[in-house]
Amino acid sequence: MYSTSGFAALAALFMATSAHPQPKASFSWADTKHLITFGDSYTYVQGTHGHQNYSFIGDAFNLSFDAVDLLSNRIVQNQTATAEGGPNWVEFITGCGLKPGLTNPRDCEKQLWDFAFAGSDISTEYTPLHHNFTVSLVNQTKQFQQYANPVLSKFVNPAKTLVGFWIGINDIGDSDKLDVDFLTFYNELMSTLFQSVETVYDLGYNDFLLMQLPPLDRTPPNLIRAGGPLPNKTMVDWYDQALSNHSQTFRLSHPGSKVMVFDTNTFLNGVLDDPAEYGIKNITDYCASYDQPYINTDPAMYGCQPLSEYFWFNTGHMTSHTHEVLAGEVEKFLHEHSAG
Ligand SMILES: *[C@@H]1O[C@H](CO)[C@@H](O)[C@H](O)[C@H]1NC(C)=O
Ligand SMILES: *[C@@H]1O[C@H](CO)[C@@H](O)[C@H](O)[C@H]1NC(C)=O
Ligand SMILES: *[C@@H]1O[C@H](CO)[C@@H](O)[C@H](O)[C@H]1NC(C)=O
Ligand SMILES: *[C@@H]1O[C@H](CO)[C@@H](O)[C@H](O)[C@H]1NC(C)=O
Ligand SMILES: *[C@@H]1O[C@H](CO)[C@@H](O)[C@H](O)[C@H]1NC(C)=O
Ligand SMILES: *[C@@H]1O[C@H](CO)[C@@H](O)[C@H](O)[C@H]1NC(C)=O
Ligand SMILES: *[C@@H]1O[C@H](CO)[C@@H](O)[C@H](O)[C@H]1NC(C)=O
Ligand SMILES: *[C@@H]1O[C@H](CO)[C@@H](O)[C@H](O)[C@H]1NC(C)=O
């Protein structure tokens, strides 16, 4: 039974979100036709109209695009088209953009529309941009609302769309030296992250996938950790807890929404603990020549094992092979969360 005041609060909540046009539809990964994503270098794919090494389309100096720009844009697949030397998790779970060369997202069985930008943080309210052309998460969802959705809504059915967010990798690294209470700080980050989720929800999208952090406390000695072993496992876990808490709150306060949180951290720690099961032989280091032109055909020439035997691609990113392993588990998770 609702108390009177509780009911009023609930009614107010429904009214506040009444702009949301879609009735609840049950999520099914098998029936999903579109994946729309936001995030950072772990998620971005190169587009022919993108900023090379950073985006599918545009940058902070040129956020706008029209229907012709968006629909003539192509996903690039080659050694430099992602931050892992090959396909990444969104390309593996959709199968869109996997083949070398150019792919029109509209030709894919599951279309990938990717607005992630390499080097992104959630908002300049908390951490500075990596470059003056970087598009923060908040600006990615604004760009989506203003320019992408008016085009996509002509053929993208929100009821058959999953919206993915993977963000925080840069935030946790960029803020690790701040003199703040991290638990409080991560909760503040989350309130802004979920405003971005709400921006997309208000356009009629119901189904969300939120990815927790990779095991950033186990990256090879690197720039992120220069000056100390940060972020540490405790901080990664705090961020992930804050993400789970806010996901739960969002789900309860947004009728019809389905918010699925994938426990990236537990799964990938499991891979690091039992690498042989996934064909991985090197979890402590990476091949310093990862970006050399013949690294895929002749790794020995650079004194390296094949890149697919490494968990880490470089100091901050996982190999394409690790992304493929992760994608397999994400797909399993999405099937488990499908209705029926
Ligand atoms: C901005 O981006 C669009 C689409 O990507 C492109 O057509 C246009 O030429 C760009 N404008 C500038 C000034 O670079
Ligand atoms: C993109 O990265 C590659 C190396 O991975 C580099 O050769 C190229 O110059 C970069 N492009 C831009 C526009 O920075
Ligand atoms: C990848 O493709 C893009 C776009 O066609 C091109 O600019 C870039 O040079 C290519 N990189 C490699 C390593 O072939
Ligand atoms: C959005 O992008 C502009 C231009 O780069 C930047 O000045 C602004 O701080 C960004 N906003 C947020 C909330 O990140
Ligand atoms: C962006 O930054 C680059 C290098 O840091 C600088 O050369 C350029 O003038 C900046 N652009 C603007 C519009 O501020
Ligand atoms: C990690 O860092 C946080 C914040 O400085 C600290 O409170 C915590 O005790 C550290 N945890 C470990 C395991 O070092
Ligand atoms: C998440 O919620 C639990 C239970 O309410 C609470 O104990 C925990 O401190 C919260 N974690 C964060 C990071 O806010
Ligand atoms: C891991 O890779 C690094 C760099 O290629 C190499 O020096 C090291 O010997 C490798 N370790 C194992 C256990 O294969």
Side-chain angles (χ1 to χ4, degrees):
M1 274 293 178
Y2 296 112
S3 71
T4 313
S5 62
F7 188 76
L10 202 66
L13 209 132
F14 271 92
M15 282 169 64
T17 55
S18 65
H20 183 72
Q22 296 293 321
K24 182 171 172 54
S26 53
F27 171 74
S28 158
W29 178 239
D31 293 341
T32 296
K33 298 285 180 231
H34 314 273
L35 176 68
I36 294 169
T37 48
F38 303 96
D40 54 33
S41 56
Y42 275 54
T43 301
Y44 103 95
V45 298
Q46 174 76 58
T48 48
H49 295 176
H51 190 124
Q52 198 183 7
N53 300 336
Y54 293 93
S55 73
F56 175 62
I57 191 159
D59 63 27
F61 292 121
N62 186 12
L63 277 184
S64 70
F65 48 81
D66 61 17
V68 172
D69 294 332
L70 183 60
L71 301 181
S72 62
N73 197 10
R74 299 291 178 262
I75 298 171
V76 179
Q77 187 56 260
N78 64 28
Q79 199 192 339
T80 56
T82 67
E84 24 285 326
N88 66 15
W89 74 286
V90 290
E91 294 171 322
F92 281 118
I93 68 171
T94 56
C96 194
L98 277 181
K99 67 172 195 314
L102 306 182
T103 297
N104 179 353
R106 291 188 80 175
D107 293 340
C108 298
E109 232 170 275
K110 289 194 196 309
Q111 300 181 6
L112 173 61
W113 298 100
D114 191 343
F115 301 93
F117 199 98
S120 278
D121 291 70
I122 292 170
S123 165
T124 53
E125 195 184 330
Y126 308 107
T127 47
L129 298 175
H130 283 194
H131 303 282
N132 55 12
F133 54 83
T134 304
V135 183
S136 66
L137 178 74
V138 166
N139 280 343
Q140 288 169 30
T141 50
K142 277 197 192 136
Q143 180 189 42
F144 178 77
Q145 176 186 37
Q146 204 174 343
Y147 304 110
N149 196 56
V151 178
L152 295 179
S153 63
K154 299 203 164 49
F155 59 92
V156 167
N157 176 359
K160 291 187 186 293
T161 301
L162 176 66
V163 182
F165 286 82
W166 196 0
I167 194 79
I169 295 158
N170 293 309
D171 301 75
I172 198 168
D174 294 347
S175 63
D176 64 10
K177 310 285 190 304
L178 295 181
D179 182 20
V180 294
D181 177 76
F182 284 109
L183 204 54
T184 307
F185 179 66
Y186 298 153
N187 274 291
E188 285 167 5
L189 289 180
M190 288 308 145
S191 49
T192 303
L193 163 53
F194 279 89
Q195 281 166 20
S196 274
V197 177
E198 182 147 33
T199 298
V200 182
Y201 171 83
D202 284 344
L203 296 170
Y205 299 89
N206 285 303
D207 298 319
F208 298 95
L209 170 66
L210 285 128
M211 301 289 285
Q212 294 197 335
L213 293 176
L216 295 172
D217 52 304
R218 296 176 76 175
T219 52
N222 64 42
L223 294 172
I224 293 179
R225 306 205 310 179
L230 293 176
N232 65 31
K233 172 78 171 142
T234 313
M235 291 157 76
V236 170
D237 287 346
W238 280 341
Y239 182 97
D240 285 346
Q241 266 182 41
L243 179 63
S244 294
N245 284 7
H246 282 255
S247 297
Q248 172 76 354
T249 307
F250 185 92
R251 186 186 300 132
L252 294 175
S253 58
H254 292 77
S257 70
K258 185 171 176 87
V259 187
M260 297 169 271
V261 179
F262 183 79
D263 189 350
T264 314
N265 199 256
T266 300
F267 176 68
L268 291 178
N269 271 299
V271 174
L272 284 169
D273 292 341
D274 194 7
E277 192 180 321
Y278 304 94
I280 294 171
K281 296 182 179 156
N282 198 319
I283 60 165
T284 53
D285 217 324
Y286 62 97
C287 166
S289 300
Y290 64 88
D291 61 353
Q292 293 306 300
Y294 305 107
I295 192 63
N296 290 319
T297 44
D298 193 3
M301 169 176 154
Y302 304 98
C304 290
Q305 304 157 239
L307 289 189
S308 64
E309 294 182 4
Y310 294 86
F311 183 94
W312 297 106
F313 180 60
N314 55 27
T315 56
H317 299 97
M318 312 182 305
T319 55
S320 178
H321 175 71
T322 306
H323 272 257
E324 186 171 15
V325 168
L326 171 65
E329 193 68 13
V330 172
E331 279 191 89
K332 217 164 90 186
F333 171 86
L334 292 173
H335 281 301
E336 283 163 10
H337 281 75
S338 298

